[in-house]
Amino acid sequence: MSTPVLAADGGEFQPPGVGSFDFPPIVAGITKPMVLLVLSIIIVGVFFWAALRKSSLVPGKMQFAAESTYDFVRNSIGRDMIGGKDLRPYLPLLVTVFTFILVNNVFGFVPFLQLPTMSNPGVPYGIALIVWLVYNGAGFARHGAVGYLKHQTWPPGVPGWIRPLVTPLEFISNILVRPLTLSLRLFANMFAGHLVLLVFILGGEYLLLHGGVLGMVAGPLALILSIVLMFFELVIQFLQAYIFTMLTASYIGGAVAEEH
Amino acid sequence: MLNENTTVLAQGGPNPLFPHIPETIIGLISFAILYFFVHKYVVPRFEKIYQERSQRIEGGIARAEEAQAEAQRTLEQYKEQLAEARSEAARIRDDARAEGQQIVEEMRAQAQAESDRIVNQGQAQLAAQRSQIVAELRADLGRQAVDLASRVVGESLEDETRRRGTVDRFLDELEATSAPSGSTSS
Amino acid sequence: MEGNIAILGYGLSAIGPGIGIGLIFAAFINGTARQPEARGVLQGIAILGFALAEALAIFGLVLAFVFQ
């Protein structure tokens, strides 16, 4: 539809692509995602510090907000997935993962920043690697090497003749693929969401400026839609942080659980 | 930004799956710092608050239970006292009733004794008076009858023994006639 | 026509998870409608299932980039 319009205008529209995520260094090899990463831990740190500085039994506004976040991770995610007595050692990891990813995701919604840090795959890979080490380490510590492998790949109640099929599959899905899906899910959601927003905003801008009469109608429509989409993305950003934390908790819970 | 990217796009763009290594390192360092902060400060602090809160609530519950027990104890005590007082009152009432009964009995007995005594005394007095009167009358009557008879007969009844026999005989007759009426009146 | 045929692979790989996620949330809505008090438990399970089904589509997307 837009091709004749573009052709009439003469300028060629370059759709945003994977190149939109390759940021040139601002100064001395420091890129925008790096700044955002540092900013995110400052935000989270200050948030918790300000909330807990004058902590009391009856929470104030700030403490209530921090407590709701903490409570959400602790009770809605952690306790459901890991269970009461094993939860405490892994609680800091869950809280860190949730707040870190949430803040970095929500950067995609904040004006002027407008970039979910996790839409570059480096950090999700790193966090997924940490999670992989933690849950496998927890399983080894709990069940021993052989016990843990049996725990993860030898589901009880499976008929003997299907074991040659089930056990490698369980190994692949439980040990090998989990960190990949964990990181790629986060990365791909943020990447795709940001790309869709870019298409709407840049395309709308292009239509408005170079699209002629039809573009004058279609351009603002696209920009309005981009705002709607941005709120939709906000939901996704929150959901992805939640899913990442929940899966982390679920993997740890599965690794340290007693026999099924 | 778009202009800068066009050159990259022309080459097909970098593969987005390759991590930007410095970025990953920065991300991991940030994550580690945040983890350290959360591990050392946030979680212990929150857990302490939770624990304090639950202790506070449990303490409150314990206090409330104590107060309730106290109230229960007081109530028991009060009831006990009330029951005691009630039984005491009943006992006092019973005592009073018994005492009253006793007093009435005593009074009655006393009155009875008194009346008996008065009656006896009266009867004794009456009997004494009667015997005195009878004795007087007997002497008087004898003398007068002798006088009268001597005057009527005109002769002196010197013989003492004969005279006494006559008078006695007369009086016995008199008593025999009045005896039925005298026995019923006493 | 320009483009990469690997993107078609992504399109195909998104069909299955699309159907699966639809079924998961249909079941979640049904369950919540029948037993509103079970909402909290069901929500966790539904989102877990959603994440697992979504993994397949993500593989499609990743492979589309790998064979670019």
Side-chain angles (χ1 to χ4, degrees):
Chain A
M1 183 194 92
S2 62
T3 323
V5 179
L6 293 176
D9 199 56
E12 186 68 25
F13 175 61
Q14 291 288 347
V18 293
S20 308
F21 294 88
D22 192 35
F23 291 94
I26 300 170
V27 271
I30 295 170
T31 59
K32 184 176 175 186
M34 293 182 190
V35 176
L36 290 182
L37 283 170
V38 174
L39 189 61
S40 73
I41 65 164
I42 291 171
I43 289 173
V44 174
V46 167
F47 174 67
F48 278 128
W49 182 76
L52 286 172
R53 193 167 36 103
K54 285 182 288 183
S55 61
S56 61
L57 288 184
V58 183
K61 252 181 206 164
M62 198 66 191
Q63 196 190 337
F64 182 75
E67 225 178 273
S68 308
T69 314
Y70 182 79
D71 213 53
F72 178 71
V73 177
R74 182 179 187 261
N75 296 335
S76 297
I77 299 175
R79 214 164 47 190
D80 280 3
M81 290 292 160
I82 299 182
K85 63 183 192 306
D86 290 326
L87 175 62
R88 181 64 183 81
Y90 305 108
L91 204 49
L93 181 76
L94 295 183
V95 173
T96 313
V97 162
F98 181 74
T99 50
F100 187 66
I101 294 177
L102 181 65
V103 171
N104 274 306
N105 281 352
V106 171
F107 279 153
F109 182 78
V110 177
F112 305 115
L113 300 177
Q114 298 282 29
L115 174 75
T117 323
M118 301 299 172
S119 62
N120 275 13
V123 186
Y125 288 163
I127 301 175
L129 180 70
I130 291 171
V131 170
W132 185 79
L133 288 175
V134 166
Y135 87 81
N136 282 322
F140 275 119
R142 177 62 58 90
H143 302 290
V146 178
Y148 177 62
L149 281 178
K150 186 166 178 284
H151 179 69
Q152 288 285 38
T153 62
W154 202 262
V158 175
W161 57 271
I162 214 172
R163 285 251 181 239
L165 194 61
V166 167
T167 299
L169 272 182
E170 285 279 316
F171 181 78
I172 290 172
S173 90
N174 284 350
I175 309 287
L176 298 184
V177 178
R178 271 180 179 181
L180 277 180
T181 53
L182 194 59
S183 56
L184 289 176
R185 175 181 299 111
L186 176 60
F187 150 70
N189 271 292
M190 290 304 103
F191 177 82
H194 190 59
L195 201 58
V196 168
L197 279 182
L198 278 182
V199 167
F200 268 83
I201 292 171
L202 294 179
E205 184 195 6
Y206 183 84
L207 281 174
L208 195 61
L209 295 179
H210 310 284
V213 181
L214 196 61
M216 286 299 214
V217 183
L221 205 65
L223 289 178
I224 289 167
L225 259 179
S226 78
I227 294 171
V228 176
L229 270 177
M230 212 180 270
F231 281 97
F232 179 67
E233 277 303 309
L234 188 63
V235 175
I236 303 256
Q237 282 153 2
F238 176 80
L239 195 65
Q240 287 306 318
Y242 172 57
I243 285 175
F244 197 104
T245 315
M246 196 172 72
L247 284 175
T248 302
S250 153
Y251 294 162
I252 294 172
V256 300
E258 299 307 316
E259 281 307 318
H260 300 281
Chain B
M1 194 170 94
L2 191 61
N3 290 337
E4 290 162 2
N5 288 332
T6 42
T7 52
V8 183
L9 273 178
Q11 298 156 8
N15 192 324
L17 291 179
F18 286 135
H20 193 230
I21 298 297
E23 212 178 279
T24 309
I25 292 167
I26 295 278
L28 285 178
I29 292 169
S30 310
F31 188 86
I33 292 169
L34 189 60
Y35 178 81
F36 186 77
F37 176 69
V38 169
H39 181 74
K40 282 286 167 214
Y41 182 72
V42 176
V43 170
R45 210 55 187 269
F46 269 122
E47 291 299 317
K48 199 169 138 248
I49 290 175
Y50 278 25
Q51 208 164 8
E52 269 174 19
R53 200 171 288 165
S54 69
Q55 263 172 10
R56 198 75 168 282
I57 289 166
E58 272 163 18
I61 289 170
R63 256 204 311 283
E65 269 171 4
E66 201 175 307
Q68 196 154 5
E70 176 77 39
Q72 193 68 32
R73 222 167 21 245
T74 313
L75 186 66
E76 294 282 322
Q77 209 172 339
Y78 169 74
K79 269 185 183 161
E80 204 172 298
Q81 278 174 355
L82 197 64
E84 218 167 87
R86 207 168 268 158
S87 70
E88 174 87 20
R91 199 170 53 74
I92 289 171
R93 208 159 47 230
D94 281 354
D95 277 5
R97 192 175 294 144
E99 208 169 331
Q101 195 80 25
Q102 198 182 342
I103 289 170
V104 167
E105 291 291 331
E106 259 172 28
M107 295 283 267
R108 186 172 291 156
Q110 210 172 339
Q112 190 71 40
E114 186 82 352
S115 76
D116 282 355
R117 196 177 56 78
I118 291 169
V119 166
N120 285 342
Q121 201 174 357
Q123 274 175 349
Q125 210 167 350
L126 274 178
Q129 276 176 356
R130 181 166 167 264
S131 60
Q132 190 186 352
I133 287 167
V134 164
E136 263 178 30
L137 277 178
R138 183 171 288 185
D140 212 19
L141 194 66
R143 199 178 60 242
Q144 277 183 1
V146 171
D147 276 0
L148 197 60
S150 64
R151 225 173 273 162
V152 167
V153 177
E155 60 170 323
S156 174
L157 297 171
E158 292 110 19
D159 190 3
E160 181 67 20
T161 48
R162 267 182 59 197
R163 198 180 68 183
R164 181 163 302 213
T166 313
V167 171
D168 284 347
R169 203 171 53 243
F170 171 71
L171 281 175
D172 285 343
E173 276 169 20
L174 201 67
E175 268 183 359
T177 54
S178 68
S181 61
S183 70
T184 53
S185 71
S186 75
Chain C
M1 188 163 167
E2 282 180 38
N4 198 320
I5 193 132
I7 295 296
L8 283 183
Y10 169 62
L12 289 174
S13 77
I15 295 173
I19 294 169
I21 290 167
L23 288 176
I24 287 165
F25 280 99
F28 169 53
I29 292 165
N30 264 331
T32 309
R34 284 182 193 192
Q35 237 165 332
E37 68 273 10
R39 186 171 187 277
V41 182
L42 290 179
Q43 195 168 31
I45 297 169
I47 288 179
L48 199 64
F50 159 72
L52 293 178
E54 194 196 29
L56 295 174
I58 286 163
F59 280 136
L61 180 69
V62 167
L63 290 177
F65 284 117
V66 167
F67 297 112
Q68 200 171 20

